[in-house]
Amino acid sequence: MIKDVIADILNKKSFQPQREAGEAFAPTNIALIKYWGKRDHQLNLPVTNSLSLTLSELGAKTKIRLTPASNKDVIFLNGDAVSEDSTFYQRTSAFLNAFREHENSHFTIETQANIPVSAGLASSACGMAALVKALDSLFDWQLSTEQLSVLARLGSGSACRSLWPGFVEWHAGTLENGLDSHGQPLSHQWPALRLGILMISESQKPVSTREAMKRAPMTSYLYKKWPNQVETDLNALKTAIEEKNFTLFGTTSENNALLMHAIMEDSTPSVNYSLPETLQLRQKVWHCRSQGLPVFFTQDAGPNLKLLFLEKDQKAVETLFPEIKIIAPFANQEVAIEPA
Ligand code: PMV
């Protein structure tokens, strides 16, 4: 099925390299309205739309070339050869099966990532997005960004949002083959917005999102509430972005993340990505808010928190959370849109 969908997109384009190597960078993205639950597990088709913020400075740079003499794919991550037994290797190699001219065409892939892998920082999102962009360059397909988004989604759902900067909505789509399920950038920017990463642990997640997302719709009572709540949250978040209403923005994002984590816990077997430090930091954020500092958090499939706040509060946030890594998601675009 994946091969058929890819064949549809590529429309007989060739698997003959047009240059020695294809190379591309893709940024990571953090969902503010989360993707949780699939209507098709093979094609990574979501139950609902989701909305993310791209972190332009963080991501993965991937170089790919064909290595005809090799009898297997060879993958390097940050300079080290990746073991064939690892999930990362197996997923990447399985995804590449759809792009081989012959069964024995093999690739060498070199990826440099400036975020930890598999710790809920959307490393698979930027990894898969960089990989499809690198393939597009190697074979010179010249696909549209929407087509690349569909390809990236087939590798890892959230990757389809990593093709654009700023706010990106992933439309769930309705087609069975998922060709209408891809990202779309929002026109609004918010230069004063800041996202701060609080790293608690870089270790890999105990349960893959793939597995956890299977459990939720089948076993969680709370999941019944999810599709309607996501629709409400998406509308609220878009209004907040348009009106630059930070309280609405932060409250909606934080509540959406908390409902997703409640659903995970409510699944059988229960899934919990938090550590004791995660809960302490959540409480610290709530305490700061009760003292008048407008700071909110979101959390993905890992223990680490991402804080949301505005530029005017950056100093206060840095003082209270000295270990924070702060990103200005719209900084590069501000430069880009300045008149020459
Ligand atoms: O695309 P995946 O399988 O990495 O799942 C992403 C799941 C969350 O990060 C928890 C939510 C999201 O929308 O990114």
Side-chain angles (χ1 to χ4, degrees):
M1 183 67 177
I2 289 198
K3 276 204 160 175
D4 297 342
V5 175
I6 290 177
D8 254 17
I9 297 171
L10 294 181
N11 192 19
K12 302 202 170 62
K13 288 186 195 320
S14 99
F15 289 126
Q16 286 291 321
Q18 300 299 310
R19 45 179 61 87
E20 205 234 310
E23 203 168 343
F25 172 82
T28 193
N29 75 78
I30 300 297
L32 302 168
I33 305 300
K34 309 292 186 189
Y35 145 56
W36 201 249
K38 306 184 194 191
R39 69 169 202 275
D40 183 314
H41 289 269
Q42 234 206 330
L43 299 179
N44 289 336
L45 293 175
V47 172
T48 69
N49 289 19
S50 56
L51 201 157
S52 62
L53 181 60
T54 294
L55 309 184
S56 324
E57 305 162 34
L58 299 182
K61 192 172 170 190
T62 290
K63 190 171 177 180
I64 185 162
R65 61 196 157 84
L66 268 178
T67 34
S70 179
N71 60 357
K72 58 175 193 244
D73 296 323
V74 180
I75 306 180
F76 293 93
L77 179 61
N78 295 335
D80 297 327
V82 176
S83 153
E84 282 173 60
D85 302 331
S86 67
T87 317
F88 180 78
Y89 181 97
Q90 286 169 10
R91 263 199 207 160
T92 310
S93 193
F95 181 63
L96 286 171
N97 285 343
F99 304 97
R100 300 185 204 280
E101 191 177 21
H102 313 289
E103 240 173 70
N104 46 3
S105 323
H106 291 100
F107 298 94
T108 295
I109 301 115
E110 291 161 77
T111 293
Q112 299 285 339
N114 58 359
I115 45 166
V117 175
S118 249
L121 283 172
S123 55
S124 63
C126 57
M128 281 299 171
L131 183 60
V132 298
K133 283 168 83 175
L135 283 166
D136 184 71
S137 155
L138 177 69
F139 297 122
D140 201 23
W141 292 324
Q142 303 189 18
L143 297 178
S144 70
T145 315
E146 279 181 8
Q147 288 174 316
L148 291 173
S149 173
V150 173
L151 285 186
R153 190 204 74 231
L154 293 167
S156 170
S158 54
C160 76
R161 300 182 307 231
S162 269
L163 276 298
W164 294 270
F167 296 114
V168 179
E169 181 167 7
W170 171 7
H171 293 275
T174 52
L175 296 176
E176 213 179 311
N177 64 9
L179 290 183
D180 58 349
S181 183
H182 53 72
Q184 183 186 33
L186 264 59
S187 58
H188 291 85
Q189 308 210 348
W190 198 338
L193 191 65
R194 295 290 177 272
L195 183 143
I197 300 175
L198 289 174
M199 279 306 286
I200 292 165
S201 165
E202 293 196 13
S203 56
Q204 302 217 348
K205 17 179 167 325
V207 184
S208 69
T209 49
R210 217 163 265 218
E211 169 56 31
M213 278 196 216
K214 278 189 189 146
R215 291 182 200 172
M218 283 185 330
T219 62
S220 163
Y221 170 74
L222 269 181
Y223 194 82
K224 296 186 201 326
K225 208 175 142 47
W226 180 248
N228 281 341
Q229 190 57 44
V230 166
E231 209 178 315
T232 307
D233 289 350
L234 272 169
N235 289 331
L237 201 79
K238 284 188 207 165
T239 304
I241 292 169
E242 274 165 41
E243 296 174 356
K244 305 256 184 316
N245 177 342
F246 185 68
T247 306
L248 180 63
F249 179 85
T251 314
T252 308
S253 304
E254 188 175 295
N255 286 347
N256 184 270
L258 285 170
L259 179 57
M260 177 182 74
H261 284 273
I263 287 168
M264 291 170 177
E265 278 202 51
D266 182 44
S267 301
T268 308
S270 182
V271 178
N272 193 333
Y273 291 113
S274 299
L275 290 173
E277 295 91 317
T278 314
L279 306 183
Q280 280 160 15
L281 280 171
R282 283 185 188 179
Q283 282 176 5
K284 186 166 170 181
V285 171
W286 291 328
H287 178 73
C288 291
R289 246 185 9 247
S290 74
Q291 300 297 302
L293 182 69
V295 57
F296 298 83
F297 65 80
T298 185
Q299 184 187 344
D300 293 285
N304 309 306
L305 292 192
K306 292 101 191 183
L307 301 194
L308 300 165
F309 51 94
L310 293 175
E311 186 184 15
K312 69 178 177 55
D313 297 313
Q314 183 160 332
K315 285 257 141 51
V317 171
E318 274 170 332
T319 309
L320 286 156
F321 301 91
E323 68 284 25
I324 199 162
K325 176 173 170 54
I326 297 178
I327 319 276
F330 293 93
N332 293 338
Q333 291 169 58
E334 270 176 87
V335 175
I337 56 173
E338 241 159 40

